[in-house]
Amino acid sequence: MVHSSDNAYSGVMVINKGVGARTAALRSSVVLHAGMAVSGLIMVLFLLAHMYGNLKIFEGRQAFDGYSAFLRVVGEPLLPRSGALWIVRVVLLLSVFVHIYAAFTLWHRSRAATRGKGAWRYESAKNRRGVQRSYSSFTMRWGGILIGLFVIYHILNLTADYIAPGGASSSPYQRMINSFSIWWVVLSYVVALIALGFHLRHGVWSAFASLGANTSVARRRVLNGAATVVAALIVVGFLIPPLVIWVGWVR
Amino acid sequence: MKVTLRIWRQHDGASLGRMISYDVEGISGDMSFLEMLDVLNERLTVTGEEPVAFDHDCREGICGMCSLAIDGVAHGPEGLTTTCQLYMRHFSDGDIIDVEPWHAESFPVVRDLIVDRSALDRIIQAGGYISAPTGAAPDAAANLVPKKAADRAFDAATCIGCGACVAACPNGSAMLFTGAKATHLGALPQGQPERNARALALVNAHDAEGFGGCTQIGECTAVCPVGIPLDMISRLNADVLSALGDSGI
Amino acid sequence: MTGLFTVGESIRDTKSPEGPLQGRWEARRFGAKLINPANRRKLSVIVVGTGLAGASAAATLGEAGYQVKSFCYQDSARRAHSIAAQGGINAAKDYRNDGDSVRRLFYDTVKGGDYRSRESNVYRLAEVSSAIIDQCVAQGVPFARDYGGLLDTRSFGGVQVSRTFYARGQTGQQLLLGAYQALERQAAAGTVQVNTRHEMLDLIVIDGKARGVVVRDMVTGTLETHLADAVVLASGGYGNVYYLSTNAMGCNTTAIWRAHRRGAFFANPCFTQIHPTCIPVSGDHQSKLTLMSESLRNDGRIWVPATAGDARNPRDIPEAERDYYLERAYPAFGNLVPRDVASRAAKNQCDAGRGVGPGGRGVYLDLTDAIARLGRASIEEKYGNLLDIYQKITDEDPYQVPMRIYPAVHYTMGGLWVDYDLESSIPGLFVIGEANFSDHGANRLGASALMQGLADGYFILPNTIGDYLAKNPSAGAVDESHPDVVAAVDAVRERINMFLSINGERTVDSFHKELGAILWEYCGMERNAEGLAHAVELIRALREEFWTNVKVTGGNEELNQTLERAGRVADFFGLAELMCLDALHRGESCGSHFRTESQTGDGEALRDDDGFAYVAAWEFNGDDAPPRLHKEFLKYDFVELTQRSYK
C-alpha cells in the first residue's frame, strides 16, 4: 500500500502490479489448482493409454507380452532401451508429486479457512451435504488417498511382481492371469477403480474449469458430461480384463 | 403459525457462541424471515432480554447486508433469494429452524448473527476497479461495447457482495465473488488495459485474506441470491494464468 | 399557527453568479480559489455517507489529493441505499435526436419541481449530467446497450424525450458499485480512510465553522471524534420518518438533524415524494415497502374496478367494468402523469372504495396488453428482476395476474439548506445528494436522484469545496481537548446514557410505527391545516412518552442495535414536528405537497406563486423555542411559471 507520494495525485495509482504480484500469484490457489489440473490430465492421458494396452489381453499372450516388450524398445535407437518408458515414468512421477503437493496445500488452506471443519462448520445438522454437490466432489481427498495407496499396491503387484499372490512370472500376461484369478485381488481392483471413477468424475470437470475452460452455463454442462464419459470409459475399460480373467473367459 | 428457532447467540467476537431455542408464534406467511425475527426481538426487548443482533438494511434483496445460514444453507432454502426476501410461507407450522451466522475464518463473528465481511472490501481495494479518475473520461459513446459483452459484464456486476458464496463453500472460498468482479470489468473494453494485472491483484488479495481455493463444487452458485454462474471463476482462472505469461505487467 | 414559529430575515445571497444561465457554473468555477496540489494533502475532509453522493465525493476528493475520512453505518460502503434505485439516470446527451438538450432537461426539472427550485442550481445539474454518464462508463458501469454497441436510453416518468440511461432495473446498484470501486481504489491508495459501522452522532462546530464529527463505533460503542478542515454530509434522505417507506431500514435523519441543531438551516422539510408504484402493505408486521420502478408505467396500465367493492378476480372483470382512471382523467399523459398526481389519484380511488387487495389499499398495474403487444420475452428483458421481486413478496405471478400497487414514501426533496456551492448555513459544512434540498423543488422527476447525487459528488462539490478550503486555512491546532469538542462528546454520551436509563415499557419500534402512522395520516399525500396542527400535538405527546417510557436493552460498550435505533427515532421526532410545521405554513399546493385548502375546481393542485414562491429554510432555536423561518425567494428569469397541467 502506497500511503502517499511526492505526487499529490497519488490517487492516480494503478493496481499493485509487476514482479511481486506475479511471484505471489504463483503460490495462489488458482495456480495450485492449475498444477493439479495439468498433472491430473497428464495422468488421465496415461490411464487412457494404459487402458488401451490392457485390452490387448484379448489378443492373447504373445501379443500382450510383445506389446509390453515393445514399450521397452520404442524409440530405439534414438533412445536407450526403456528410455521412452522412463521418460513417461518420470513425467508421471512429477505429475503425482505436483498433484499431491497441490492437493495437500489446498486441503490445508481450505481447512484453515473453515476452522478445520469444512462443510461441517455449522451447528445445524441439516444440509451438511450441501444443496447440489455431487457425491464425487465429496470423495476427492480421501478417494485420492485411497487411489494413491492402490497405485503403490498395483505397481508392487503387477509391475514389480513383488506382491504376487497367484505366483510370480516374467510374463506380464501370466502375472495378470495369476492375480486376477483370485477373487480378493479382483475385488481390490474393483473397489479402487470405482474410487478412481468418482475421482475422475469430479476431477476431469474440475481440471478443465480450473484451467479456464468453463466459459458458460452450457459449457459447464458439456464439461460435466465429458467428465462422466471419461470416468465411465476408464472404469469400464480397466474393469474388463480382471473380470473376464476372473470368470475364466481369458486364460 | 408457530416455529421454533434455534439461534446462534454470541455476545462478541471474543466470547463463545451457542445455539439457543426460541418459540415464535403468530407468524403469517406474508412475513419475511427478517420480519419474523423482528417479532421475536420485539418480544425479547419487552421482557428485558437482549434482542438477537442480525445484519439487514434494504430488505429488498439488493444491498447484500442480510446474511444468515438457515438450516445450514446460506440465505435459506429458496434459490435466488436473499434472507430478507425469504417469506415464511416457505416454512410450515411447527418447523424447527436453525439460524446461524455465516461461519468462515475470514468472516469473524461480531455479535450473534453478524459477521465482519470487510475482507471482501479489501479484495475490491486490491484491484476491483477500473482506474478512471473523475474528469478524465472520454465521451460515453466513444467506446462501442458489443451487447453480448455488456450483458455479460452486467450479469457479473449484479453480485451484491453478501458473501453467501463463502458461507456455503466447503473450502471457505470467495472465488465466486472475486471471479464475478474480474468478469464484470474484464468483459468490457474499458477494463482491458488493467485486466491481467487486476486478475493477479484480486487473486493475491483473495488468498491473503485467508479464503480457501475453489474446487469447482458449485455450492456457491447454488446459494447465490443473484445466480452468479460458476463460469465466472473459470474466467478469473484463465485471466490469472494468462497474466502469468504476460510480460507487459 | 401563531407561536409555532417566528419569521427571520430572508436569505439574499446564495453565491450564485448572475448573468446568462449557461455561463454561471463556469463563472463560479473560475471565481473559485484553487489549491496547489502539494498543499491539498495537508487538508482534510470528512464525508459522512457512502451512497452515490458520498462515495463519489470521497473518491474524487481523494484523487485530488485531500486527506479524506469517509463514514457509513453499514458494514461496507457498497451497501448504501442508492444501491436500490431501479429505473435509471437522466442525462442531456440527446443520443436519440429527439429534441433533448441541457435547456430542456433544466426546464423539465424546474417544471417537474413545480417551480420551487433554484434556476442556477438546476441548470448546472443539467449541464454536468452528460459528464456523469461519461464518467460512469469509463469506470465500467454496464449500462444497457443496443446491438450496435451504443448506449440505450428510455423515456422515464412521463418525460417526452428518451434521456434515461439504465442498467436493467438495477441502475442505482451499478452506479453505486462504480463509485464504491473508485472509493476503494482511493482507500488502497491511502487517500481515503473508509470507516464502516460508524454512525455520526453530532457535528463539531468551532468558531462558527464545521470542524468535525462525533461518531460511534457501532461494534465497540466507542465514541470517537474526527476533526477536519471541512465536513460533507451525504447521509441521504429522511423518508424513514414515516416508518414505512422504500428506504432501507437504517436510513435516518440523525446526521442532518444533528447538524440542523448545530445551526444548519433545514429547507422545505415537508416536500416528501410519495411514489405511486410500490407493493401494498400486507399486514402489521410490515417493516418496509418495496418499490416497483415506475418504468413499469411505460408499459403497464393502471386501473381499478369501476364499482366500489368489486372483489372479483381481476381476470374476470370485463374491460367495460374497469376504470383506467389515469388514462381517462389525463388523456395526454395517461399512465405517465407525474408521481404526485398518480399517487393522489390512487389514494382517491381507494378512498372511494374501489381499491383492491387486502385492506383495499391498492390499484392494479396491468401488463397484459404489453405482453400481448411486445411478447413475454421482451417484458422479461425489461422488467424481469422487478417482476421476480414482486412474485417473491406477493406470491402472485405478475405475468398472469395484474400487479397490485399503492403509493409509498420514497424520496425527500427537502433537506439541509445549501447555497450554490452546496454549503450549508454553517461555514465549512457541505451537504450533497438527497441530504440537501437543492435541485428538485417540490417534486423530483424520475431518474433525477441518481443524476443529482453523482453531479454533486463527482463534479460540483470537489470544485466548490476547494474555494472554501483555500479561503479558510485551518485555524491552527484544534485537537480533541478543545472545549467545544469535549462538550460535543459529552452531550452525545449523556444522551446515550439517557436512553439506557429510561428502562420503560415500550420498544423503540413501537414508537417509530406510531410516529410514522401520524405522519402518513396528516402529512402524507393530502394535508390540511387542522390535521397538521393536530399532528404537531400528537407528535409532541408521543415524544414526551418516548423519553419516559422507551425501553433500550443492553449497554453502550457493545454492538447494540436497539440503542442505534433509539437515537435515530429520537431525532425523527424533532424532524416530524418540523415537517408538519413546514407543511402547515405552506398554505399552497405544489408538487408533492397537496393542501386540500388549495385546489382547483376539479381537484388539481393549485399553486400560489405570489404567496409561496420561496424556499422555506428553518433555523433551530433550541428545544424550548419555536424555530425561525428564513425565506429564500425564488426568481425565475428564464422559465415562465405556469400551472402544471397533464390533461
Side-chain angles (χ1 to χ4, degrees):
Chain A
M1 305 266 153
V2 178
H3 190 266
S4 154
S5 65
D6 289 341
N7 181 357
Y9 295 89
S10 59
V12 190
M13 208 188 70
V14 285
I15 297 166
N16 175 26
K17 58 178 191 173
V19 184
R22 196 183 280 115
T23 316
L26 284 173
R27 291 189 295 270
S28 69
S29 49
V30 169
V31 169
L32 285 171
H33 272 292
M36 210 150 151
V38 171
S39 57
L41 290 174
I42 288 172
M43 290 189 275
V44 169
L45 287 178
F46 166 75
L47 284 177
L48 288 168
H50 186 350
M51 180 188 85
Y52 173 75
N54 286 6
L55 292 172
K56 286 193 177 291
I57 196 99
F58 289 107
E59 291 181 29
R61 178 187 303 266
Q62 208 170 5
F64 191 84
D65 286 350
Y67 172 69
S68 170
F70 159 77
L71 291 178
R72 280 152 183 83
V73 299
V74 65
E76 280 188 51
L78 183 63
L79 298 169
R81 185 176 163 77
S82 289
L85 201 58
W86 274 108
I87 290 173
V88 171
R89 282 173 177 164
V90 168
V91 169
L92 282 177
L93 208 61
L94 278 174
S95 297
V96 168
F97 176 77
V98 167
H99 208 74
I100 291 176
Y101 170 78
F104 275 91
T105 310
L106 289 165
W107 193 350
H108 173 74
R109 287 188 192 174
S110 110
R111 291 282 129 171
T114 56
R115 303 169 183 187
K117 293 182 192 160
W120 263 251
R121 61 193 188 268
Y122 293 98
E123 293 287 318
S124 181
K126 306 171 197 171
N127 298 302
R128 280 199 169 145
R129 296 197 164 252
V131 295
Q132 55 84 52
R133 63 183 298 189
S134 62
Y135 179 74
S136 56
S137 73
F138 277 103
T139 52
M140 294 306 284
R141 288 162 187 158
W142 290 108
I145 288 173
L146 183 69
I147 293 163
L149 293 173
F150 166 76
V151 167
I152 295 169
Y153 156 71
H154 168 64
I155 291 171
L156 292 173
N157 173 209
L158 289 177
T159 311
D161 206 16
Y162 184 75
I163 299 172
S169 168
S170 61
S171 155
Y173 184 88
Q174 192 59 44
R175 289 208 289 273
M176 285 213 7
I177 301 288
N178 290 352
S179 282
F180 294 139
S181 299
I182 301 166
W183 69 270
W184 60 264
V185 176
V186 175
L187 184 66
S188 68
Y189 275 72
V190 169
V191 169
L193 281 167
I194 289 172
L196 178 65
F198 280 119
H199 199 77
L200 292 180
R201 161 66 193 86
H202 186 75
V204 171
W205 134 255
S206 170
F208 281 109
S210 296
L211 292 172
N214 177 26
T215 52
S216 65
V217 174
R219 181 64 67 85
R220 182 182 173 191
R221 275 195 295 274
V222 170
L223 290 176
N224 270 294
T228 309
V229 169
V230 170
L233 185 72
I234 286 180
V235 171
V236 173
F238 273 105
L239 273 181
I240 288 171
L243 290 177
V244 294
I245 291 169
W246 185 57
V247 298
W249 291 352
V250 171
R251 292 171 188 279
Chain B
M1 79 193 196
K2 175 189 158 183
V3 294
T4 301
L5 302 173
R6 295 175 60 232
I7 302 180
W8 180 269
R9 302 301 308 262
Q10 178 175 344
H11 186 268
D12 52 46
S15 40
L16 290 175
R18 64 196 178 101
M19 302 291 273
I20 297 188
S21 287
Y22 302 92
D23 289 336
V24 189
E25 294 176 24
I27 296 169
S28 99
D30 286 334
M31 280 181 188
S32 70
F33 199 86
L34 298 184
E35 286 169 343
M36 183 271 298
L37 287 179
D38 289 343
V39 170
L40 170 66
N41 276 346
E42 286 289 281
R43 192 189 82 204
L44 292 178
T45 307
V46 170
T47 56
E49 281 182 72
E50 293 274 347
V52 180
F54 61 93
D55 262 334
H56 64 107
D57 203 23
C58 79
R59 294 205 179 187
E60 50 187 272
I62 194 83
C63 76
M65 187 130 170
C66 66
S67 52
L68 308 189
I70 299 169
D71 286 340
V73 179
H75 286 308
E78 289 290 299
L80 297 174
T81 301
T82 54
T83 296
C84 66
Q85 292 290 290
L86 174 65
Y87 282 79
M88 292 308 291
R89 65 178 77 97
H90 300 295
F91 295 89
S92 313
D93 191 40
D95 275 359
I96 298 171
I97 308 171
D98 298 328
V99 189
E100 293 173 76
W102 286 355
H103 286 311
E105 205 53 41
S106 305
F107 286 175
V109 173
V110 175
R111 177 166 199 171
D112 293 343
L113 303 172
I114 295 179
V115 298
D116 177 356
R117 288 169 287 191
S118 54
L120 299 181
D121 285 335
R122 290 189 292 274
I123 291 178
I124 299 299
Q125 283 172 16
Y129 49 77
I130 290 172
S131 299
T134 305
D139 188 274
N143 267 319
L144 297 183
V145 183
K147 184 165 167 52
K148 212 173 152 189
D151 287 350
R152 174 82 170 159
F154 177 85
D155 287 343
T158 55
C159 168
I160 58 174
C162 64
C165 43
V166 179
C169 179
N171 304 310
S173 175
M175 281 295 277
L176 194 66
F177 169 85
T178 313
K181 191 43 65 193
T183 306
H184 162 206
L185 301 175
L188 296 167
Q190 307 91 295
Q192 296 313 309
E194 292 168 306
R195 179 167 165 182
N196 280 343
R198 178 187 307 119
L200 296 186
L202 287 174
V203 161
N204 287 338
H206 171 276
D207 284 15
E209 290 295 336
F211 293 107
C214 169
T215 53
Q216 308 288 345
I217 290 169
E219 286 296 293
C220 51
T221 184
V223 300
C224 176
V226 295
I228 299 293
L230 203 55
D231 47 79
M232 292 184 179
I233 296 178
S234 209
R235 175 74 266 161
L236 174 58
N237 290 339
D239 281 358
V240 169
L241 297 176
S242 76
L244 289 173
D246 176 359
S247 57
I249 56 170
Chain C
M1 260 193 274
T2 44
L4 285 174
F5 67 93
T6 60
V7 179
E9 278 176 44
S10 299
I11 299 170
R12 306 216 182 275
D13 183 17
T14 64
K15 293 197 206 143
S16 167
E18 296 293 316
L21 274 176
Q22 49 272 52
R24 289 183 182 178
W25 178 224
E26 203 184 329
R28 181 71 194 101
R29 279 198 296 168
F30 184 70
K33 278 187 80 172
L34 298 180
I35 302 172
N36 177 336
N39 287 335
R40 288 184 205 153
R41 66 170 176 267
K42 297 175 197 153
L43 294 164
S44 55
V45 181
I46 284 168
V47 181
V48 180
T50 59
L52 286 178
S56 60
T60 305
L61 293 171
E63 285 163 7
Y66 299 106
Q67 294 172 41
V68 182
K69 282 184 181 176
S70 147
F71 297 90
C72 67
Y73 71 78
Q74 296 91 344
D75 76 325
S76 164
R78 67 182 291 151
R79 311 215 193 277
H81 198 56
S82 304
I83 202 143
Q86 298 170 350
I89 175 165
N90 289 329
K93 282 278 196 189
D94 194 28
Y95 282 160
R96 289 298 186 103
N97 194 28
D98 57 3
D100 197 14
S101 62
V102 167
R103 180 107 193 175
R104 190 174 297 280
L105 176 54
F106 155 73
Y107 175 79
D108 286 351
T109 305
V110 171
K111 181 184 177 214
D114 220 1
Y115 308 98
R116 291 294 174 267
S117 49
R118 211 182 273 151
E119 277 187 330
S120 314
N121 285 53
V122 177
Y123 195 85
R124 175 178 62 186
L125 176 66
E127 277 181 311
V128 302
S129 65
S130 256
I132 296 171
I133 304 299
D134 299 342
Q135 179 62 29
C136 294
V137 167
Q139 287 170 343
V141 171
F143 284 116
R145 302 258 170 183
D146 61 24
Y147 283 95
L150 287 163
L151 290 158
D152 193 18
T153 54
R154 60 186 174 196
S155 140
F156 196 80
V159 169
Q160 290 170 327
V161 291
S162 286
R163 65 160 73 100
T164 304
F165 295 79
Y166 66 100
R168 233 166 282 175
Q170 287 150 265
T171 317
Q173 178 194 34
Q174 294 309 316
L175 296 174
L176 183 62
L177 291 181
Y180 156 76
Q181 286 164 198
L183 176 69
E184 295 297 348
R185 174 169 164 262
Q186 291 311 303
T191 60
V192 181
Q193 181 195 94
V194 183
N195 299 279
T196 59
R197 292 199 200 272
H198 279 71
E199 183 164 25
M200 170 180 159
L201 294 180
D202 209 349
L203 179 74
I204 296 171
V205 181
I206 298 174
D207 299 332
K209 292 177 186 168
R211 290 300 305 274
V213 291
V214 181
V215 297
R216 180 172 176 272
D217 177 330
M218 293 158 75
V219 175
T220 63
T222 312
L223 295 179
E224 302 169 0
T225 51
H226 295 268
L227 300 171
D229 295 301
V231 176
V232 180
L233 298 186
S235 54
Y238 49 86
N240 261 355
V241 66
Y242 288 87
Y243 186 73
L244 286 182
S245 79
T246 64
N247 285 184
M249 300 300 286
C251 292
N252 65 80
T253 190
T254 292
I256 56 173
W257 188 253
R258 291 283 125 192
H260 173 60
R261 292 174 61 95
R262 291 276 175 196
F265 294 173
F266 207 119
N268 297 337
C270 80
F271 288 163
T272 51
Q273 185 169 78
I274 316 280
H275 197 291
T277 54
C278 300
I279 301 177
V281 174
S282 68
D284 294 337
H285 57 264
Q286 192 96 26
S287 59
K288 78 151 280 162
L289 295 170
T290 302
L291 178 76
M292 290 284 102
S293 166
E294 68 179 339
S295 59
L296 285 167
R297 287 201 278 149
N298 288 346
D299 288 307
R301 298 180 70 194
I302 293 173
W303 62 276
V304 290
T307 7
D310 186 343
R312 279 180 291 174
N313 180 325
R315 283 279 158 268
D316 298 336
I317 301 180
E319 209 56 30
E321 292 170 45
R322 300 176 177 188
D323 182 8
Y324 294 90
Y325 56 89
L326 289 177
E327 296 171 23
R328 171 173 56 76
Y330 306 98
F333 280 70
N335 294 302
L336 295 174
V337 290
R339 292 176 172 179
D340 56 312
V341 177
S343 292
R344 211 166 48 251
K347 176 186 190 294
N348 291 339
Q349 294 299 329
C350 295
D351 287 348
R354 289 190 284 273
V356 297
R361 305 310 292 183
V363 299
Y364 290 124
L365 190 154
D366 197 340
L367 290 166
T368 313
D369 291 355
I371 292 172
R373 192 175 71 246
L374 304 166
R376 183 181 162 130
S378 163
I379 296 296
E380 236 177 76
E381 163 88 15
K382 275 186 177 162
Y383 311 114
N385 69 316
L386 297 175
L387 301 182
D388 289 348
I389 293 174
Y390 182 83
Q391 181 153 19
K392 265 187 195 133
I393 293 176
T394 62
D395 207 21
E396 291 173 1
D397 179 3
Y399 296 98
Q400 304 295 333
V401 186
M403 300 167 73
R404 287 177 294 108
I405 54 160
Y406 196 68
V409 175
H410 174 55
Y411 185 89
T412 51
M413 281 73 68
L416 290 187
W417 181 88
V418 289
D419 60 21
Y420 189 68
D421 282 357
L422 305 180
E423 189 175 7
S424 73
S425 51
I426 301 176
L429 178 70
F430 292 77
V431 191
I432 59 178
E434 192 180 346
N436 73 25
F437 89 107
S438 67
D439 297 341
H440 305 298
N443 191 31
R444 179 175 64 74
L445 287 182
S448 281
L450 305 185
M451 172 173 67
Q452 185 226 335
L454 290 180
D456 288 0
Y458 280 131
F459 297 109
I460 300 171
L461 175 90
N463 279 292
T464 57
I465 201 171
D467 185 58
Y468 171 82
L469 291 168
K471 290 174 181 159
N472 293 274
S474 297
V478 171
D479 62 21
E480 295 181 358
S481 62
H482 190 284
D484 290 348
V485 178
V486 174
V489 177
D490 286 348
V492 169
R493 185 170 292 118
E494 193 179 328
R495 191 158 178 263
I496 288 172
N497 290 339
M498 182 75 180
F499 289 131
L500 294 169
S501 65
I502 295 169
N503 199 20
E505 307 274 317
R506 284 184 65 179
T507 64
V508 174
D509 271 12
S510 76
F511 283 104
H512 193 180
K513 279 183 187 175
E514 191 173 336
L515 174 68
I518 294 170
L519 271 190
W520 184 238
E521 176 69 23
Y522 299 107
C523 197
M525 280 181 276
E526 281 190 7
R527 298 130 182 217
N528 61 57
E530 195 191 347
L532 289 163
H534 183 52
V536 170
E537 286 169 26
L538 291 175
I539 292 166
R540 287 180 177 173
L542 189 64
R543 173 160 62 178
E544 195 111 322
E545 191 194 342
F546 176 85
W547 283 104
T548 52
N549 195 28
V550 74
K551 177 148 190 140
V552 180
T553 51
N556 178 53
E557 279 71 36
E558 58 182 319
L559 190 150
N560 187 341
Q561 293 178 314
T562 312
L563 178 63
E564 292 160 18
R565 280 203 299 272
R568 295 170 192 165
V569 172
D571 287 334
F572 277 138
F573 279 113
L575 171 67
E577 192 178 322
L578 189 66
M579 286 168 70
C580 290
L581 196 55
D582 186 45
L584 181 61
H585 109 281
R586 191 172 280 276
E588 63 163 352
S589 295
C590 70
S592 62
H593 172 65
F594 188 86
R595 282 286 296 264
T596 50
E597 301 94 329
S598 178
Q599 51 182 309
T600 64
D602 52 358
E604 297 299 324
L606 185 62
R607 219 175 52 234
D608 176 2
D609 291 328
D610 295 332
F612 296 99
Y614 61 79
V615 173
W618 298 90
E619 181 186 2
F620 181 75
N621 244 347
D623 280 316
D624 303 320
R628 188 177 297 129
L629 171 67
H630 299 271
K631 297 177 183 176
E632 179 202 331
F633 287 98
L634 295 165
K635 268 194 339 186
Y636 288 93
D637 299 325
F638 302 90
V639 174
E640 191 191 341
L641 275 65
T642 55
Q643 282 289 345
R644 292 190 307 168
S645 169
Y646 296 93
K647 292 282 179 190

